[in-house]
Amino acid sequence: MIRTLSNFFTNIMQRWLPDAFIFAIILTFIVFIAGMLGESKSPSQMANYWGDGVWNLLVFSMQVTISLVTGSVLAQTTAVKRVLRGLATLAKNPSQAILLMTFIALICGWISWAFGLIASALMAREIARHVKGVHYPLLVASAYSGMVIWHAGLSGSIPLKIAVSDGDVLSSLMPGIEIPLQETIFSWEVLSVCLVVLLTLPVIFRLMIPPAHETQEVDPSQLGETEQVDIRIKTPSDRIEHSRLPTLLLGLLGGYYLVEFFLDGGSVGLNTLNLIFLVSGLLLHRSTTSYLFAVNEAVKGLSGIVLQFPLYAGIMGMMAQSGLAASVSTWFIDISTVETFNLFTFLSAGIVNFFVPSGGGQWAVQAPIVIPAAQSLGIPLNHAAMAVAFGDAWTNMVQPFWALPLLGIARLGIRDIMGYCTVALLWTGLIFGLAMVFLF
């Protein structure tokens, strides 16, 4: 049955799903028209909402960009690659390859969505080299599966933002309220949900393996890598650039700051996490040249994100200012009871994520509605916040935006993996939905 479902959705996605950029444009005009029809806004108003929203989240956009770059640079270090290659050799056949890839992707995604995307893509390439007969599109889809629990992990935007008030727009949505990570990503409820996904989703992907005659193995030329060209050292400046000392000193400086920061009681936030990955990359790369080469390679994966992020910010602007996002959230909350509030909040977040595929951006839209409603019903705020977080992460499986950097490394298109991701969406939706009812 699982294989039949995957074939069904794969055929649909191959035929009907457009390029991710076209998808963003289509969503733009769906929201544009919905604002006019559903919220009685004029075309001029919707256009202004779009224009006002395009640049509203530049600070968060830069945080996300740095997360992706620093995570990618760390994943490209010799030490991390050696670990990935060693892990790839654990798989001896296609079944083990899919199980291993999904398991590693979920672990890496929980650690950091940015690091997880890049490390999982590199891991998929290594497994494809090592294991003969593995279905490459399914392997890459399983590599993307870590995004389904990223928001319950160490880089989750919502739990990190509500854990510490750092003065920006997102942290000020709950003035005077801080919820420690022990009550969100490290709570027994959240860890239990992540554990169930970790133990079952690899099996779901394993059951989607097609028969041998339908297997699409990767073309070896598709896995070609750009290697750094060795440059002969001719001048003192060359010697400095190829020395490890500059990056080592900067990494040690950053490391000292982090130690002092945490000893003084500092909390983990998105900026702190980015600094941890920045420092780790500086310490692990062998020279300034090596580090800058890795940065240049990482930036290549940002093209789709840089182009599309403003579009989604514009969509978010229309959703927020027209009242569409509030209407969606409010409708779910209006039909909620104490017992169903978290479930409906989760579902509304999953829908909103199609149009606002940024965890922080989605929190900016939903927090002003969800938090007062949770307080009025006596719902613990940590549960309400994680309901939004799980909903945001859940529909990433069929929202192509965040798959772009992974697909760039794997050299596949969104159509190649989305059918398998849809099956993952259905399974994890069942897990999350039950959790919202019985655990939260």
Side-chain angles (χ1 to χ4, degrees), residues 136-190:
Y136 191 56
L138 179 60
L139 181 69
V140 175
S142 64
Y144 183 55
S145 64
M147 287 299 288
V148 80
I149 60 168
W150 80 273
H151 222 148
L154 299 179
S155 64
S157 301
I158 292 175
L160 290 179
K161 284 295 182 182
I162 63 178
V164 56
S165 297
D166 52 14
D168 69 357
V169 174
L170 297 181
S171 342
S172 64
L173 294 171
M174 295 171 57
I177 300 175
E178 293 184 359
I179 301 177
L181 297 180
Q182 289 80 2
E183 296 181 16
T184 53
I185 61 177
F186 293 126
S187 68
W188 72 269
E189 299 97 334
V190 173

Side-chain angles (χ1 to χ4, degrees), residues 106 110 146-153 156-159 183-198 342-351 353 359 362-363 366 382-397 425 428-437 439-440:
L106 290 168
W110 187 87
M147 287 299 288
V148 80
I149 60 168
W150 80 273
H151 222 148
S157 301
I158 292 175
E183 296 181 16
T184 53
I185 61 177
F186 293 126
S187 68
W188 72 269
E189 299 97 334
V190 173
L191 290 176
S192 297
V193 172
C194 291
L195 181 61
V196 172
V197 173
L198 183 65
N342 289 321
L343 175 62
F344 286 134
T345 298
F346 161 75
L347 293 174
S348 69
I351 293 173
N353 183 54
Q362 184 160 344
W363 185 239
Q366 291 197 263
N382 59 322
H383 289 177
M386 290 311 300
V388 176
F390 273 116
D392 166 73
W394 173 48
T395 48
N396 278 340
M397 289 294 95
L425 173 90
T428 54
L430 176 63
I431 295 172
F432 295 153
L434 291 174
M436 294 302 122
V437 174
L439 292 183
F440 287 83

